[in-house]
Amino acid sequence: MEERRARWYGGCAPGSRPAVTPVGARLLWSNPALWVSGDWQPEHVRSVELGGSARIAVLGPCSATEHDLAHALSARNLATVARTWAGSHTVVRMTERGRVEVLADTCGASPLYTVSTPGGAVWGSSSFALSSLVGGHVDAEWLAAYLRDKHAPASGRSAWAGVAPVPAGHLLTLDAEGGSSLTPWWRPTKRTPREASAALRYALGEGVRVRVAGVSATTDLAGMDSSTVALLAAQYGPITGVTVHPASITSGGDMQYAKALNVPGLTRAPFPLGPRHLPFSATDVPLPVTDEPAPSTAVWSMFSDQLVTMAAAGSACHLTGDGGDNLFLSAPAHLANLARGGHWIRMFGDARDWARLRRKSPRPLIAAALRGNAARIGRSDFGRPGWLAAPVPRVDTTTGPDPDMALVAELRTVARSAYSEIQLSDSLGLPLHNPYFDGAVLDAVVSAPTEQRYSARRYKPMLADTFADLLPPAHRTRAAKGLMVGDFHLGLRMNRRRVLGLADGRLAALGLVNSAPLRAAVHAAALGAETIWPPLLSALGAEAWLEAVEHASGPEWTQTAPAPAGAP
């Protein structure tokens, strides 16, 4: 399949001289410049003008109506109005005073970045694309932090030197005098259990609707998360649910649960996996460049084949269940809050139950709770990888005892990383969506009382209860999904020579890794030794990403002539 032009959007600060736009992009406004690049559904690029120079645009799937946009255009506080809109999007408002406001979404699933150029600030949704304005160099310090722990990124940096992230849940304001500011606009609210479930039902349901209504779509169909999305999508038109399974296994597991879903509008489609789909296998589809290393890099042979197959069958977009585990199966971060409040009996009981379920000792949980850092409770700390050669700036991951902020911090990191999966899918012409990373969904879940969303005895209680009328009993009582650890060992053994080439390449040349211990880890994993996969996959994925970077170039830019005053 021919690689497509990347989908992204961006704009210039008012008064930029000269203003720049990517070659081939569609200009929505020229004063100041606002553009979209790539193929977008018309419903996902909308704008409203209200006389004079005031105008507003929403970029990405969004539940807001034209009336909602008009109301937001004249509202005193943009965030107050837009925070209830479902979907994953960026809101841009140009005021009559010539100021540009860019509202970054709550979860960070539609990430934003800025660069400083001689002509003024430029912002956009792709750090890779913006990097071509400032040299196009990878940020080695960011990459070193990623190799140390991909869930603890270097603060205030992106994978590209000179490209700064806009924090999720912040308002970026740009004025004609060259000034800019970042203001947090979102904070968690509290709801009763009934209110929180109603908010989740609306946010996820509307987030799915604005993506699939009127188009031919596919969804994952495996665990409770993707099954819920598939059932919601089937309410708005024909949907094909795709279940990935080993070619030799056609019953049990995910296949059994998929067969239990018999609802109008949903067609089930198995996707059998063979030897060519094993992790680390070569493929005829080159790995595209993305803003940062994509989580699915090791399984690109499988993922790309699935995307190509679905696109060839006529799918206009694909929805996943990614993010559901992070939202509804989180670690017991609330133990820190219980310890702070002196609720010792419940704290010890919950720690014991959680540890027993996972056949672990509760002592590390209790110790972490007493230290008061909710972000580290139940989280694996793999330590510094033995092959990491570069010094890594210390990253403060302390969130205090608040379990809500621990959940928010984790989800924002995972959602930003998942955006690279969207870019992979875009390169093959199939828009991919992750509704569980929508800001309104995060807002609904965090608003729920802790006991509504956490349980050591029930699997994903908030999701199961909120959609109890939609999910069959077998899905509501399901407790786990299958693992692919054996496939990674086998894939590494089958492709050891290719992977060893990754262990002694660009990362080593940059001085970020020592090749010998990394190669030793690859050999051990290929032989079936117990392996700590996350840091190993990060290193191999980063090496493959750097190879893709070498063979890609960012967009070309052209100067945009300033429009007359008052022109759109």
Side-chain angles (χ1 to χ4, degrees):
M1 179 179 292
E2 180 183 355
E3 187 171 327
R4 308 295 182 89
R5 192 172 65 215
R7 281 190 313 136
W8 70 290
Y9 47 80
C12 295
S16 297
R17 293 293 184 273
V20 293
T21 55
V23 173
R26 175 161 62 98
L27 199 61
L28 302 181
W29 305 337
S30 60
N31 188 29
L34 175 69
W35 65 81
V36 294
S37 182
D39 297 325
W40 288 81
Q41 270 183 243
E43 298 81 5
H44 296 171
V45 178
R46 294 181 292 151
S47 61
V48 169
E49 297 180 34
L50 194 63
S53 58
R55 46 195 182 270
I56 189 170
V58 60
L59 308 171
C62 180
S63 65
T65 64
E66 298 303 304
H67 175 76
D68 293 332
L69 293 180
H71 176 53
L73 179 55
S74 58
R76 183 174 183 177
N77 188 313
L78 175 62
T80 301
V81 178
R83 69 173 294 149
T84 60
W85 297 348
S88 181
H89 47 263
T90 298
V91 184
V92 186
R93 184 169 73 168
M94 173 73 178
T95 70
E96 292 182 345
R97 296 182 179 180
R99 185 175 63 184
V100 172
E101 298 174 329
V102 186
L103 199 69
D105 82 280
T106 302
C107 195
S110 296
L112 295 176
Y113 304 90
T114 63
V115 294
S116 296
T117 73
V122 181
W123 64 270
S125 61
S126 169
S127 58
F128 166 66
L130 290 180
S131 72
S132 59
L133 287 171
V134 287
H137 302 297
V138 170
D139 188 323
E141 287 194 20
W142 183 95
L143 196 53
Y146 174 88
L147 294 172
R148 169 63 176 84
D149 181 356
K150 71 175 185 178
H151 295 298
S155 179
R157 310 176 82 108
S158 76
W160 299 91
V163 183
V166 175
H170 279 62
L171 176 70
L172 170 66
T173 303
L174 303 166
D175 62 40
E177 287 71 41
S180 67
S181 64
L182 284 169
T183 309
W185 66 265
W186 179 84
R187 66 180 56 186
T189 58
K190 288 299 177 184
R191 297 182 175 99
T192 66
R194 178 175 294 183
E195 292 170 341
S197 282
L200 173 59
R201 183 96 185 201
Y202 172 81
L204 187 60
E206 281 294 283
V208 169
R209 180 189 66 80
V210 297
R211 291 169 164 100
V212 304
V215 302
S216 175
T218 51
T219 71
D220 290 343
L221 193 59
M224 184 188 294
D225 311 314
S226 57
S227 295
T228 302
V229 168
L231 292 171
L232 288 169
Q235 297 177 348
Y236 302 106
I239 296 294
T240 299
V242 180
T243 303
V244 175
H245 67 96
S248 59
I249 301 176
T250 58
S251 61
D254 289 341
M255 294 294 289
Q256 172 188 342
Y257 288 96
K259 290 176 181 177
L261 295 177
N262 290 300
V263 297
L266 176 63
T267 300
R268 300 185 299 271
F271 186 81
L273 301 178
R276 66 191 178 94
H277 296 123
L278 283 170
F280 312 109
S281 294
T283 174
D284 293 334
V285 182
L287 182 72
V289 67
T290 51
D291 284 353
E292 61 184 73
S296 66
T297 299
V299 294
W300 177 237
S301 58
M302 177 193 73
F303 189 36
S304 61
D305 193 22
Q306 182 184 358
L307 294 171
V308 169
T309 300
M310 292 186 299
S315 176
C317 69
H318 182 75
L319 276 61
T320 82
D322 290 355
D325 285 348
N326 304 93
L327 280 171
F328 304 111
L329 199 61
S330 58
H334 71 291
L335 295 178
N337 213 19
L338 293 176
R340 182 180 63 170
H343 303 290
W344 305 113
I345 294 178
R346 184 180 169 194
M347 191 269 287
F348 283 115
D350 282 1
R352 179 199 61 208
D353 291 344
W354 195 90
R356 180 182 298 165
L357 188 65
R358 289 155 180 81
R359 299 180 182 179
K360 296 182 178 181
S361 169
R363 291 181 180 178
L365 298 176
I366 295 171
L370 294 176
R371 286 194 298 269
N373 185 9
R376 300 310 305 172
I377 295 179
R379 311 290 179 189
S380 298
D381 186 356
F382 304 115
R384 182 185 174 91
W387 53 79
L388 183 59
V392 180
R394 182 176 178 83
V395 177
D396 184 9
T397 58
T398 302
T399 61
D402 188 344
D404 294 340
M405 295 316 297
L407 175 62
V408 170
E410 175 194 4
L411 204 72
R412 284 175 170 174
T413 299
V414 177
R416 188 211 69 242
S417 178
Y419 187 73
S420 60
E421 305 282 85
I422 293 175
Q423 293 176 316
L424 290 180
S425 191
D426 278 350
S427 72
L428 299 179
L430 182 62
L432 183 142
H433 299 278
N434 305 308
Y436 286 107
F437 289 130
D438 288 357
V441 173
L442 173 61
D443 181 81
V445 172
V446 173
S447 74
T450 302
E451 57 270 18
Q452 183 182 3
R453 64 180 192 254
Y454 167 80
S455 174
R457 301 173 181 85
R458 292 185 62 204
Y459 185 69
K460 301 183 179 180
M462 185 176 185
L463 184 65
D465 291 343
T466 299
F467 296 98
D469 61 320
L470 200 63
L471 289 164
H475 287 74
R476 296 199 304 273
T477 57
R478 188 178 184 184
K481 294 185 294 185
L483 300 175
M484 293 180 62
V485 173
D487 290 342
F488 277 88
H489 284 292
L490 179 58
L492 200 52
R493 184 158 59 249
M494 297 289 290
N495 301 284
R496 179 164 49 181
R497 179 174 298 179
R498 177 173 180 266
V499 177
L500 286 173
L502 294 175
D504 189 11
R506 296 157 185 83
L507 289 172
L510 289 172
L512 297 179
V513 304
N514 291 318
S515 297
L518 182 55
R519 289 171 64 88
V522 171
H523 277 295
L527 293 174
E530 185 175 351
T531 301
I532 301 176
W533 284 104
L536 181 58
L537 291 177
S538 292
L540 298 177
E543 181 68 33
W545 176 72
L546 286 174
E547 182 180 9
V549 167
E550 277 189 3
H551 295 90
S553 57
E556 296 181 4
W557 297 82
T558 183
Q559 294 184 6
T560 304

